[in-house]
Amino acid sequence: MMQASHLRDSRLDGRAAWMRLAIALLISMIGSAPMWTVVVVLPAVQAEFGTLRAGAALPYTMTMIGFVVGGVLMGKMADRFGVMVPVLIGATSIGLGGIATYFAPSLFTFGLAYGVLLSCFGAAAVFSPLIADVSLWFEKRRGIAMALAASGNYFAGTFWPSLLQWGISTIGWRQAHLFMGIACFVTMVPLALLLRTRAPMPAAPKPGVAVARNPMALGLSPNVLQTLLIMAGITCCIAMAMPQVHIVAYCVDLGYGATRGAQMLSVMLASGIASRLIFGFIMDRIGGVRTLVLSSMLQGIALLMFLPSDGLTALFLVSFMFGLFQGGLVPCYAMIVRENFPPSEAGSRVGMALSSTMVGMAIGGWMAGALFDATGGYTAAMLNGIAWNLVNLSIALWFLWRLNRRQQAFA
């Protein structure tokens, strides 16, 4: 019998798809602000509310938890109503979150504003739903397209930390958050309206026409694969959290100041953009699983390099390398979802997979702060991250073993 996967929509990989990607990238750059501003404001919040480092990291943990819940909710909403609806909700919620943080009377209410408004119904709406939506518009260049869409939050990380740090030092952290919320709302709403068109969906195959097997599929049951992807996302980001969450505080402890720390975070995220583009091209050639193995190995190497580095130049260099090595991890999970699940489930499945990475960031951020309080330094936190990275690599290698075995069987 003739083999066909589906009738190809002419818009796939076309001009409309690339325009869609550009809009999604711009929205993500703006709306991902809360994911990085909560890191930069950590020292100022700790000083104002008088708490230990682990306590000051609580708003970050609440932000990540909110992102997890919001990623799943907004993904399901995008599957049902299209991506424009969650993006409009996100724009409104970030605006309200800026107002709420301005008036926050305590650390808990500050964390609640981040967790619910700025994260759950805010930044979460412009991450996994947009990546999933973009994936539906591409077929031949899906890897690079998804990597570009996932780079939006890294682009945000290159300018929001320095911008907020400047605001904190000039007008105060409350006023800086207020202006951030207003700016995000004003710019995101008109951009969201450009996403009214629903994504092209593959036509059902005609009766009697065989559906071609996906050579990159793992052949696992949906629940088992989704669970393993969630575990992989959690473990890789527990490892990733220490440098990304605590680099500003680490620089303050070493005497380099918060401004240097914010600059270091921007360097880390800027190299992460290059990383995601490079790994996007790699995914189009070798698939999500093999790219996941490569990126996990490289992240482990970068974490090892942080251990002997405490000089300013060395930290900038290692931060650059860390971003360059680990940036490919998150898009791999979205790619594996698209290689193994139907397009109609893209929003919810990608949402669950990518939201799990924020569970890891939340746990890892808290762990690093608690280990710092217990030991007076970050060495134990680094070793903890390396151990979790080994767990992630083990899952990736098992995926690779299964993929190779299935491809040999179908050869």
Side-chain angles (χ1 to χ4, degrees):
M1 285 187 297
M2 215 180 144
Q3 291 201 344
S5 56
H6 59 267
L7 297 176
R8 195 171 188 276
D9 192 298
S10 61
R11 294 174 295 174
L12 290 172
D13 296 283
R15 181 178 178 182
W18 288 104
M19 182 62 68
R20 186 92 170 186
L21 173 58
I23 296 168
L25 182 59
L26 186 55
I27 292 173
S28 184
M29 287 170 57
I30 299 168
S32 295
M35 307 308 297
W36 308 112
T37 55
V38 70
V39 177
V40 175
V41 79
L42 189 152
V45 169
Q46 181 179 5
E48 175 158 339
F49 294 118
T51 182
L52 295 174
R53 184 65 51 81
L58 179 63
Y60 180 85
T61 301
M62 296 174 73
T63 298
M64 295 301 104
I65 293 172
F67 198 91
V68 171
V69 176
V72 176
L73 291 176
M74 295 299 178
K76 289 182 178 294
M77 187 175 294
D79 282 339
R80 183 170 182 180
F81 301 109
V83 76
M84 183 186 72
V85 173
V87 173
L88 285 173
I89 292 173
T92 303
S93 188
I94 292 174
L96 293 174
I99 297 172
T101 51
Y102 176 79
F103 289 106
S106 66
L107 180 65
F108 177 77
T109 53
F110 175 82
L112 198 62
Y114 256 98
V116 177
L117 293 173
L118 290 169
S119 180
C120 181
F121 295 102
V126 301
F127 189 56
S128 56
L130 285 174
I131 295 173
D133 180 75
V134 164
S135 76
L136 298 173
W137 288 79
F138 288 86
E139 189 172 73
K140 294 180 180 179
R141 303 299 181 194
R142 181 176 293 157
I144 186 60
M146 293 175 72
L148 277 166
S151 297
N153 71 326
Y154 271 21
F155 276 112
T158 63
F159 68 88
W160 277 113
S162 297
L163 184 61
L164 190 77
Q165 184 59 46
W166 174 81
I168 291 171
S169 61
T170 55
I171 60 176
W173 66 264
R174 293 179 183 273
Q175 291 83 353
H177 276 77
L178 179 62
F179 282 111
M180 177 194 74
I182 294 172
C184 288
F185 174 77
V186 170
T187 53
M188 287 172 64
V189 168
L191 289 170
L193 296 176
L194 298 176
L195 301 178
R196 292 188 299 272
T197 305
R198 297 293 296 268
M201 300 296 287
K206 295 179 180 180
V209 176
V211 178
R213 291 188 180 98
N214 183 353
M216 305 308 292
L218 295 172
L220 295 166
S221 71
N223 289 339
V224 169
L225 178 57
Q226 189 76 64
T227 300
L228 288 171
L229 286 172
I230 288 171
M231 291 173 59
I234 291 172
T235 54
C236 85
C237 288
I238 290 178
M240 194 185 299
M242 193 277 137
Q244 288 194 356
V245 177
H246 289 270
I247 193 66
V248 176
Y250 186 40
C251 285
V252 171
D253 293 340
L254 292 174
Y256 300 128
T259 299
R260 289 293 188 189
Q263 292 170 349
M264 207 170 291
L265 179 61
S266 293
V267 167
M268 187 185 298
L269 299 177
S271 62
I273 295 170
S275 173
R276 290 198 166 170
L277 298 181
I278 293 168
F279 281 107
F281 283 111
I282 293 173
M283 277 196 294
D284 280 331
R285 299 181 73 88
I286 65 175
V289 170
R290 293 186 175 91
T291 309
L292 177 63
V293 172
L294 176 62
S295 191
S296 182
M297 290 176 61
L298 291 175
Q299 176 173 266
I301 293 171
L303 287 169
L304 283 168
M305 294 177 66
F306 267 107
L307 286 172
S309 304
D310 57 7
L312 186 61
T313 301
L315 280 171
F316 267 108
L317 179 60
V318 175
S319 295
F320 171 80
M321 295 185 69
F322 179 78
L324 193 63
F325 287 170
Q326 59 80 35
L329 277 164
V330 172
C332 289
Y333 303 128
M335 187 68 163
I336 293 171
V337 166
R338 292 294 286 112
E339 290 169 345
N340 289 271
F341 293 100
S344 59
E345 300 177 9
S348 57
R349 294 289 187 180
V350 170
M352 284 187 280
L354 299 192
S355 293
S356 71
T357 65
M358 297 306 158
V359 174
M361 294 295 286
I363 296 172
W366 174 83
M367 275 185 174
L371 287 169
F372 174 89
D373 290 337
T375 64
Y378 279 115
T379 299
M382 287 292 184
L383 293 172
N384 178 68
I386 292 168
W388 284 102
N389 194 85
L390 288 173
V391 178
N392 174 265
L393 180 58
S394 298
I395 296 172
L397 287 171
W398 186 80
F399 280 165
L400 179 60
W401 172 79
R402 185 172 180 86
L403 177 64
N404 287 339
R405 193 176 70 166
R406 283 179 57 81
Q407 288 181 337
Q408 290 170 3
F410 289 134

